[in-house]
Amino acid sequence: MRLILLGPPGAGKGTQAQRLVEKHGIPQLSTGDMLRAAVQAGTEVGKRAKAVMDAGELVSDAIVNAIVAERIDQADCAKGFILDGYPRTLVQADAVDAMLAQRGMSLDIVIELVVDDRALVGRIVKRADDAKAAGQPVRKDDNPTVFEDRLREYYKKTAPLIGYYYAKGKLKAVDGMADIDAVTGEIETVLAATVGGPEPVN
Ligand code: AMP
């Protein structure tokens, strides 16, 4: 199963991706996590991405496309994967299609987590507080000021993907404002009805 989780920052993509990993045994491919790891490791990509990420802007399509193309060739992706935070632009969406087609694969489904923007800042602040309380590092871009920029980037560059996947018949919307377990339940229902549903008779 190859699926995309789509939604603004703070929509719960990462949380739901982790649950899908546990249930379906396929990896979560979070470009945000991969880029943060590159920053941490001080690689060339990390050096180029750091300032852009700290400002809440998007890293170049070329960089993220290359990271994902390399990642999906790893053995653990053979049975499928969950793309979390990628694609984020139409150029990236075209790149995924091409990447998968080259490998004789295709995308099964895109799940959009539909959320109320006004609740998102609160979630981001909570995520930062929770990380602090757990003694984990707090993401530099998890603060209300940078969050506004991340949300603007989302509407400008990522939200057009909703129409893009709708037109392809791949989009399923899920209420991301429900509690975490309910969102997981709704995602599983959608998956069972589409990807994991019974084989067509003919
Ligand atoms: P995330 O953890 O998904 O919220 O991503 C954190 C930051 O990493 C974003 O604000 C961007 O700067 C960068 N980033 C992550 N994924 C992408 C992507 N697909 N395209 C461009 N930039 C990305």
Side-chain angles (χ1 to χ4, degrees):
M1 176 171 70
R2 285 172 288 272
L3 70 96
I4 292 175
L5 289 177
L6 191 62
K13 301 185 296 294
T15 303
Q16 295 301 330
Q18 281 163 20
R19 290 178 168 213
L20 287 162
V21 167
E22 277 167 33
K23 178 145 173 75
H24 299 275
I26 51 174
Q28 167 193 15
L29 273 48
S30 156
T31 40
D33 285 350
M34 294 180 214
L35 289 166
R36 279 185 287 278
V39 170
Q40 195 69 32
T43 64
E44 208 45 53
V45 164
K47 281 180 199 151
R48 283 163 64 190
K50 187 178 184 319
V52 179
M53 292 172 75
D54 286 350
E57 291 164 14
L58 293 188
V59 174
S60 80
D61 292 326
I63 288 182
V64 287
N65 288 340
I67 292 179
V68 174
E70 197 182 311
R71 181 68 184 87
I72 62 172
D73 282 335
Q74 290 174 16
D76 63 334
C77 291
K79 282 199 198 133
F81 44 79
I82 303 143
L83 292 172
D84 159 17
Y86 177 91
R88 255 176 159 101
T89 65
L90 288 168
V91 171
Q92 293 177 22
D94 283 337
V96 183
D97 285 346
M99 254 178 240
L100 294 178
Q102 273 167 14
R103 292 160 176 83
M105 300 170 175
S106 65
L107 202 61
D108 292 301
I109 186 169
V110 177
I111 295 179
E112 179 200 357
L113 294 177
V114 181
V115 286
D116 174 356
D117 287 356
R118 287 165 300 181
L120 294 178
V121 182
R123 285 192 182 184
I124 290 286
V125 170
K126 184 175 181 310
R127 180 157 78 186
D129 289 347
D130 288 350
K132 219 182 290 171
Q136 292 163 355
V138 176
R139 284 174 53 170
K140 246 192 169 159
D141 58 354
D142 269 356
N143 69 69
T145 317
V146 179
F147 181 76
E148 292 293 330
D149 295 322
R150 291 166 64 199
L151 203 55
R152 210 168 298 124
E153 285 283 82
Y154 174 79
Y155 281 110
K156 207 160 58 181
K157 299 176 180 166
T158 310
L161 299 188
I162 295 169
Y164 176 91
Y165 287 119
Y166 176 80
K168 285 177 178 279
K170 299 274 184 196
L171 190 76
K172 297 284 173 197
V174 162
D175 174 14
M177 295 309 293
D179 72 49
I180 294 175
D181 290 342
V183 177
T184 306
E186 216 188 312
I187 290 175
E188 290 303 335
T189 303
V190 164
L191 291 180
T194 49
V195 185
E199 290 293 317
V201 179
N202 293 312

